[in-house]
Amino acid sequence: MSEATTGNGEEAAASAAVIDAPREKLTKKAITADQPTWCPGCGDFAVLAAFYKVLEKRNLDHEKIVTLAGIGCSSRFPYFVNGHGAHYIHGRAVPLASGISLARPDLHVFLFGGDGDGFSIGGNHLDHGARKNINMTYFIMDNFVYGLTKKQTSPTSPIGFKSKTDPTGAIDQPVNPMKKLIAGGATFIARTHAANVVHMIQMIERAFDHQGFSVIECLSECVEFFPDVFDPANPKKGGSFEVIQEKKWDGTPEDELRHDVTDELAAYKLATLPFPGVFGVFYETDRPTKNALEKKWIQTTRERTGNASDLEILQKTFDRMK
Ligand SMILES: Cc1ncc(C[n+]2csc(CCOP(=O)(O)OP(=O)(O)O)c2C)c(N)n1
Ligand code: SF4
Ligand SMILES: [Mg+2]
């Protein structure tokens, strides 16, 4: 707000001094809120730990951190982060995050949720957030089950999974998150595992650095309702965690075999590998964000209207309707 609009020069000078004051480093203590209420051993604890690490490492401005979520065990995330946040309606967190991102592009918008929230009730919103390329980082904790509501089949549950909604075993083809995100138009798509904190941190940082709609699918075990399902990708439990080798563009013969993250079809091929598949960045492309396009459109409209105020533009629009 300008000095003229506050009508108080001293106040404006004081707030400028506060803004310029040296900042204290962001600590885990400062960003930790309530004690998580997840079941002991739930994979989501490791995700929270990785997220705290990234916030600390990047030393983000505390007041610019926004964590949002829908409904589910994983969606309780915003309660555990001391920052701006909201635990919103089941499946509707992408539209909420979109509004915040577009209205306040200076904020760091982090969205968290589960497979049900993201791929089932919110599946449609996910596609539209992706195609519009709205700037945010969306972290999906995929446990192949509805955890909070105590074991129903989710859109990622494998065929044969016995749950309260499929007592004789799931019969529907599961969603393939990577394929869905590629087809939807997300501009950064990665996959990780809650048992590998170092990898999670790398993926969150890469997603955060990406301008646009960045999504990470993280296999995060629900120890209560679908235990051990991700062991095949956990070396500590006899599995193998195969990381995507990205092209280095160094002209070597080995590089021919490495993955080009900008190649959509190559990403799709990786997504067809049988479970547990591979981990890392599947796809990344540079496409204008809706944030940038909308900003430009607003500027052009303002110039065309001779820098009229919002109220004047609204009045003119109503006048035209008469
Ligand atoms: C509109 C609406 N429909 C259904 C529910 C019930 N419900 C709450 S959480 C949830 C599924 C949660 O599953 P997921 O997103 O996979 O999260 P998880 O608990 O597994 O982390 C459902 C169906 C709800 N709260 N609101
Ligand atoms: S029910 Fe499953 S997903 Fe929910 S807190 Fe417990 S272990 Fe985690
Ligand atoms: Mg789930």
Side-chain angles (χ1 to χ4, degrees):
M1 207 180 276
S2 74
E3 199 178 304
T5 49
T6 59
N8 186 340
E10 273 174 33
E11 223 174 72
S15 49
V18 170
I19 291 164
D20 291 340
R23 284 178 170 270
E24 277 180 26
K25 197 171 166 359
L26 191 65
T27 59
K28 185 179 169 200
K29 193 168 170 231
I31 44 182
T32 304
D34 287 358
Q35 184 63 26
T37 47
W38 294 309
C39 309
C42 176
D44 298 352
F45 280 102
V47 178
L48 184 64
F51 183 60
Y52 285 155
K53 267 268 173 282
V54 171
L55 295 185
E56 248 186 312
K57 193 171 164 197
R58 292 304 185 99
N59 196 25
L60 302 184
D61 289 348
H62 199 165
E63 73 281 7
K64 292 195 173 169
I65 299 167
V66 183
T67 51
L68 304 165
I71 301 288
C73 292
S74 40
S75 289
R76 295 190 67 78
F77 228 86
Y79 285 113
F80 314 136
V81 181
N82 183 17
H84 300 296
H87 186 204
Y88 199 52
I89 308 167
H90 188 35
R92 309 290 176 247
V94 170
L96 173 74
S98 301
I100 293 170
S101 171
L102 292 170
R104 287 290 306 270
D106 58 313
L107 300 180
H108 306 299
V109 179
F110 297 99
L111 178 56
F112 294 91
D115 41 322
D117 199 73
F119 302 128
S120 193
I121 191 168
N124 184 29
H125 293 303
L126 177 61
D127 284 344
H128 294 287
R131 80 179 169 87
K132 292 177 185 179
N133 199 24
I134 301 168
N135 197 33
M136 69 181 77
T137 300
Y138 187 9
F139 197 100
I140 301 177
M141 282 155 269
D142 190 358
N143 52 15
F144 291 7
V145 66
Y146 290 175
L148 185 75
T149 45
K150 302 186 188 297
K151 201 178 186 177
Q152 291 83 25
T153 300
S154 95
T156 51
S157 301
I159 291 173
F161 175 62
K162 288 192 177 138
S163 72
K164 285 183 184 134
T165 41
D166 279 303
T168 55
I171 52 172
D172 299 319
Q173 174 73 21
V175 163
N176 179 316
M178 295 294 105
K179 284 188 191 173
K180 180 173 168 64
L181 290 163
I182 297 163
T187 53
F188 178 94
I189 304 165
R191 189 165 181 256
T192 188
H193 191 311
N196 192 332
V197 176
V198 173
H199 192 261
M200 266 195 292
I201 292 172
Q202 282 169 2
M203 293 302 107
I204 300 172
E205 289 200 84
R206 292 269 301 264
F208 175 70
D209 288 336
H210 175 80
Q211 278 297 307
F213 195 82
S214 53
V215 193
I216 302 166
E217 180 215 8
C218 176
L219 303 183
S220 178
E221 184 180 329
C222 172
V223 289
E224 193 65 28
F225 299 118
F226 205 169
D228 305 330
V229 59
F230 303 133
D231 289 0
N234 184 355
K236 285 182 210 129
K237 291 189 165 184
S240 71
F241 184 79
E242 197 186 323
V243 177
I244 296 169
Q245 299 302 319
E246 289 178 38
K247 274 201 189 299
K248 297 180 180 163
W249 305 107
D250 56 9
T252 59
E254 306 89 84
D255 212 38
E256 292 288 312
L257 301 171
R258 296 192 185 116
H259 177 56
D260 172 3
V261 293
T262 66
D263 184 338
E264 197 172 321
L265 291 179
Y268 205 84
K269 266 195 188 154
L270 287 181
T272 60
L273 292 171
F275 181 79
V278 287
F279 297 87
V281 178
F282 278 61
Y283 185 61
E284 181 166 21
T285 190
D286 190 13
R287 182 153 56 77
T289 60
K290 185 173 173 76
N291 308 60
L293 294 171
E294 201 172 78
K295 188 176 171 200
K296 202 167 149 202
W297 173 72
I298 291 170
Q299 266 167 2
T300 317
T301 308
R302 280 223 183 283
E303 282 161 20
R304 249 193 307 126
T305 58
N307 287 322
S309 69
D310 290 351
L311 188 62
E312 284 165 343
I313 294 172
L314 198 64
Q315 189 61 57
K316 269 188 190 163
T317 310
F318 284 146
D319 289 347
R320 268 204 307 275
M321 289 177 186
K322 280 181 189 164

